[in-house]
Amino acid sequence: DTAVSQTPKYLVTQMGNDKSIKCEQNLGHDTMYWYKQDSKKFLKIMFSYNNKELIINETVPNRFSPKSPDKAHLNLHINSLELGDSAVYFCASSSGWEGTEAFFGQGTRLTVV
Amino acid sequence: SQKIEQNSEALNIQEGKTATLTCNYTNYSPAYLQWYRQDPGRGPVFLLLIRENEKEKRKERLKVTFDTTLKQSLFHITASQPADSATYLCALDMIRSNYQLIWGAGTKLIIKP
């Protein structure tokens, strides 16, 4: 069983469109995350979500919004896509406690044309 | 703000030798430091975690050291194999950042047969 699964793996879309990426974890973790990995390979935290508390990276445009229907799911919705949004997006989860590892999904490669 | 530096140049090592990767940070020491492996098209996978009061941690052929005076962690793979070829990321677990991980850009390791 896949611990953290996200769909789709690839997403090609036009500028201005709205798209969503889905993420599910079956580890029973309390905390989920969305990361963006750019062409330079830096992983940048976008959001963390713990027990309905959302912590937002202030540099993330408000076109990006996380939605969590329950503890096992954290979806990422993006409005009005721009060329600069092209990147690989990773969902991850952890227990949320200090010193615990993060488990990552396979990533979604988003290409905006 | 905290900055993390990993060697951006790829590291080429002959099979059977020890590979040593470096992770340097600039400001206050993290409570924990984690190392991950990332293969192309995949999400990072956790390898090892070391606490600030630990000098060294081992797991099979892997060894991590943590020097808070030098603000540096070293990651060693002994008896390296071509299958060890991947990008290795270090991540700082900062209590002051609500336990969110701060990531280096990673070092690409190539083990030549």
Side-chain angles (χ1 to χ4, degrees):
Chain A
D1 279 347
T2 304
V4 180
S5 60
Q6 56 182 107
T7 55
K9 185 170 173 62
Y10 300 98
L11 183 55
V12 181
T13 188
Q14 291 185 328
M15 283 175 53
N17 284 350
D18 302 339
K19 290 293 178 184
S20 292
I21 307 172
K22 295 185 176 180
C23 179
E24 175 182 4
Q25 55 97 1
N26 62 6
L27 298 168
H29 285 158
D30 290 327
T31 304
M32 296 184 72
Y33 311 85
W34 276 107
Y35 284 91
K36 178 180 180 180
Q37 189 171 44
D38 59 24
S39 57
K40 294 183 179 180
K41 304 300 182 185
F42 273 106
L43 271 168
K44 295 179 183 177
I45 184 78
M46 299 177 70
F47 305 101
S48 65
Y49 206 92
N50 179 297
N51 288 327
K52 300 185 180 181
E53 181 187 5
L54 176 64
I55 301 171
I56 301 173
N57 182 332
E58 60 186 15
T59 66
V60 175
N62 58 15
R63 299 182 293 103
F64 291 79
S65 56
K67 297 189 189 304
S68 180
D70 55 57
K71 198 174 79 165
H73 296 82
L74 183 65
N75 304 323
L76 181 65
H77 190 75
I78 316 169
N79 289 326
S80 303
L81 278 155
E82 300 177 357
L83 292 176
D85 297 332
S86 297
V88 181
Y89 293 84
F90 286 101
C91 175
S93 74
S94 75
S95 68
W97 294 103
E98 58 186 271
T100 57
E101 66 199 85
F103 292 79
F104 283 80
Q106 65 178 354
T108 297
R109 181 173 292 277
L110 171 65
T111 303
V112 182
V113 297
Chain B
S1 61
Q2 185 74 278
K3 290 185 179 179
I4 302 165
E5 295 172 354
Q6 291 187 260
N7 194 338
S8 58
E9 305 260 338
L11 184 62
N12 288 275
I13 299 292
Q14 195 67 38
E15 181 178 8
K17 302 292 185 184
T18 296
T20 298
L21 286 71
T22 304
C23 175
N24 295 302
Y25 56 93
T26 55
N27 293 340
Y28 41 87
S29 290
Y32 307 88
L33 191 146
Q34 302 186 23
W35 283 89
Y36 289 74
R37 168 182 174 145
Q38 186 174 21
D39 290 284
R42 310 291 292 269
V45 175
F46 173 79
L47 296 174
L48 279 171
L49 175 150
I50 189 165
R51 292 174 170 75
E52 63 179 332
N53 60 354
E54 295 179 319
K55 295 294 184 186
E56 182 180 298
K57 201 78 167 281
R58 290 176 185 261
K59 179 182 176 182
E60 297 172 353
R61 293 184 297 111
L62 309 181
K63 184 178 83 170
V64 171
T65 63
F66 194 5
D67 189 325
T68 55
T69 301
L70 293 178
K71 297 186 178 180
Q72 180 181 82
S73 175
L74 298 178
F75 178 81
H76 306 271
I77 305 175
T78 59
S80 59
Q81 304 165 2
D84 295 326
S85 299
T87 295
Y88 291 85
L89 305 166
C90 72
L92 274 56
D93 198 338
M94 308 295 299
I95 292 177
R96 292 171 226 204
S97 297
N98 199 31
Y99 303 114
Q100 293 180 10
L101 296 174
I102 302 174
W103 296 81
T107 297
K108 185 175 183 178
L109 176 65
I110 301 168
I111 306 298
K112 297 183 175 180

